[in-house]
Amino acid sequence: GCDPQSGMTKKGLEKYNPTPTPEIVKQFEEPIDPADIVTVDTALTGPTLVVNRTRGKDALDCSKYNKVTINGDGYEVAIKGICKQLMINGDKNKVTGVAFAELVFNGEENEVEYYKYANGKKPIITQNAGVNTIEKTAPPEKPDPKTKK
């Protein structure tokens, strides 16, 4: 099997090992492409958007840097705009969104996809239960021009 943590742990320890040259060892973390950054006014605080049994499959819009709470299992939710926080209280939910400043999982087997970084920062992720999948994907509208050569 492949353990994604082991590579991270190795990288984390590298900086404590003495290196023979006085060069600055840069931690390799994939740089954020400026095209993937979306700017948001963090002073905005819209109402919390809630998904539950009565909510249905409508697209949510984080137009005011809203928080989103999903209560339940097996929902498929599409979110427009930039969300301050996505909290999932349940299992097997599938969420696609533009950008999230923070992701909180109180459940397992949830999948979250996003394709931009709010203000150039990766989301802060809190997993309180189980294993969840968080993935940065390509924007849905148009293919990435860099992949075409």
Side-chain angles (χ1 to χ4, degrees), residues 63-139:
S63 57
K64 294 186 170 68
Y65 199 49
N66 309 66
K67 288 184 173 184
V68 176
T69 303
I70 296 175
N71 298 317
D73 301 329
Y75 289 110
E76 283 193 30
V77 184
I79 304 173
K80 292 186 282 210
I82 301 148
C83 305
K84 180 176 186 146
Q85 182 193 68
L86 170 64
M87 181 182 286
I88 300 179
N89 302 314
D91 303 329
K92 297 182 171 77
N93 293 290
K94 195 169 165 56
V95 182
T96 54
V98 178
F100 304 101
E102 186 184 1
L103 298 166
V104 179
F105 295 94
N106 298 312
E108 59 188 9
E109 292 180 55
N110 294 293
E111 291 177 41
V112 175
E113 291 184 355
Y114 64 94
Y115 55 91
K116 295 277 186 192
Y117 295 112
N119 293 337
K121 293 192 180 83
K122 294 185 177 176
I124 299 159
I125 298 166
T126 307
Q127 301 215 42
N128 296 319
V131 176
N132 297 284
T133 308
I134 301 108
E135 196 176 354
K136 159 100 173 51
T137 61

Side-chain angles (χ1 to χ4, degrees), residues 15-35:
K15 63 180 171 206
Y16 298 111
N17 294 338
T19 47
T21 50
E23 283 177 53
I24 295 165
V25 178
K26 286 195 176 117
Q27 292 291 85
F28 178 76
E29 192 174 288
E30 222 169 278
I32 290 177
D33 184 333

Side-chain angles (χ1 to χ4, degrees), residues 49-70:
L49 308 172
V50 179
V51 174
N52 52 33
R53 277 198 312 276
T54 58
R55 183 69 202 26
K57 279 192 172 185
D58 306 344
L60 297 176
D61 191 353
C62 287
S63 57
K64 294 186 170 68
Y65 199 49
N66 309 66
K67 288 184 173 184
V68 176
T69 303
I70 296 175

Side-chain angles (χ1 to χ4, degrees), residues 3-16 27:
D3 178 18
Q5 290 300 104
S6 64
M8 292 169 149
T9 311
K10 223 180 283 162
K11 278 186 208 149
L13 294 173
E14 272 170 15
K15 63 180 171 206
Y16 298 111
Q27 292 291 85

